Amino acid sequence: MSASSPSPQERPRKPLVQRLAEHFMVLALAGMVVAVFVNVVLRYVFSTSIVSYEEISRLLFVWLVAVGTIVAAFEGKHLGFDMLTSRLKGRSRKLLFWATQALVAGGMLLLLKGSWEQVIAGMDSYSTVLGYPLALGAAATLVLAVGLLVGVVVDLRRGEPLPHGSDAETSVE
C-alpha cells in the first residue's frame, strides 16, 4: 500500500445516503446484467426472449444514470472544464464560481420543472409490457434535478467546489 492512500480505517465514513445510493447502483447494474444476459442466451440458444426484461433493464439504466450522476457530483468526479478558473485568484475566481453555480442552479430548475411535467403526464401513460406508469422513468430526472440542486447548495455553503476527482467526502448537514 502506498503512503499517499489512507488505509480503510483512516478514511472518513461516507454518509448513509451516499452508501445507500452506491448500493442501489450496484443492485441496478447487477439487475441489468442479469436481464440482458438472460435475454441474450434465450435469443441465441432458444430463439425466444423475455420481453419484460428489456423494459426492466431500460428503467434500471435510467435510474442508474440519475443516481450515479448525483453521487459523482457530490464526490467532485463529474466532468469539469477549469482551464479559466484554475488560472484565476481571489475575487474574480469567487465571482466566477458564484456565476457558475447560478447557471447550474438555473439549469437544474428548468430540468426540475420539465421533469415534474413529465411525471404528471406519465401518471396516465403506462409501459407497453409491464404496465408500470411511465412517470416512474421520468421521476429519475426529477430526483436528479433535486440532487444536483442540493449539490449546488452544498458547494455554495462550502464556498468552492470540490476539486475534480478528489477523494474528499462530503456530507449534507
Side-chain angles (χ1 to χ4, degrees), residues 30-45 53 57:
M32 286 172 49
V33 167
V34 168
V36 171
F37 179 76
V38 166
N39 257 353
V40 167
V41 170
L42 287 174
R43 279 191 191 126
Y44 288 105
V45 176
Y53 278 14
S57 61

Side-chain angles (χ1 to χ4, degrees), residues 127-145:
S127 72
T128 311
V129 177
L130 291 176
Y132 64 83
L134 293 179
L136 190 56
T141 55
L142 187 68
V143 169
L144 171 67

Side-chain angles (χ1 to χ4, degrees), residues 97-110:
F97 166 72
W98 280 85
T100 305
Q101 295 301 322
L103 287 172
V104 170
M108 290 305 105
L109 288 172
L110 289 173

Side-chain angles (χ1 to χ4, degrees), residues 48-148:
T48 188
S49 68
I50 302 172
V51 182
S52 60
Y53 278 14
E54 291 179 27
E55 278 191 1
I56 291 169
S57 61
R58 183 174 37 251
L59 186 62
L60 287 174
F61 180 71
V62 169
W63 276 94
L64 178 69
V65 169
V67 172
T69 301
I70 296 168
V71 170
F74 272 87
E75 291 180 352
K77 294 182 179 174
H78 55 287
L79 292 175
F81 183 76
D82 64 351
M83 187 171 77
L84 176 62
T85 57
S86 65
R87 290 179 167 82
L88 296 176
K89 302 280 186 245
R91 178 178 276 179
S92 56
R93 183 178 183 141
K94 189 68 92 173
L95 184 65
L96 192 56
F97 166 72
W98 280 85
T100 305
Q101 295 301 322
L103 287 172
V104 170
M108 290 305 105
L109 288 172
L110 289 173
L111 181 63
L112 183 71
K113 180 183 182 301
S115 296
W116 179 250
E117 291 170 2
Q118 287 297 313
V119 166
I120 297 301
M123 294 300 280
D124 295 326
S125 302
Y126 301 94
S127 72
T128 311
V129 177
L130 291 176
Y132 64 83
L134 293 179
L136 190 56
T141 55
L142 187 68
V143 169
L144 171 67
V146 170
L148 293 182

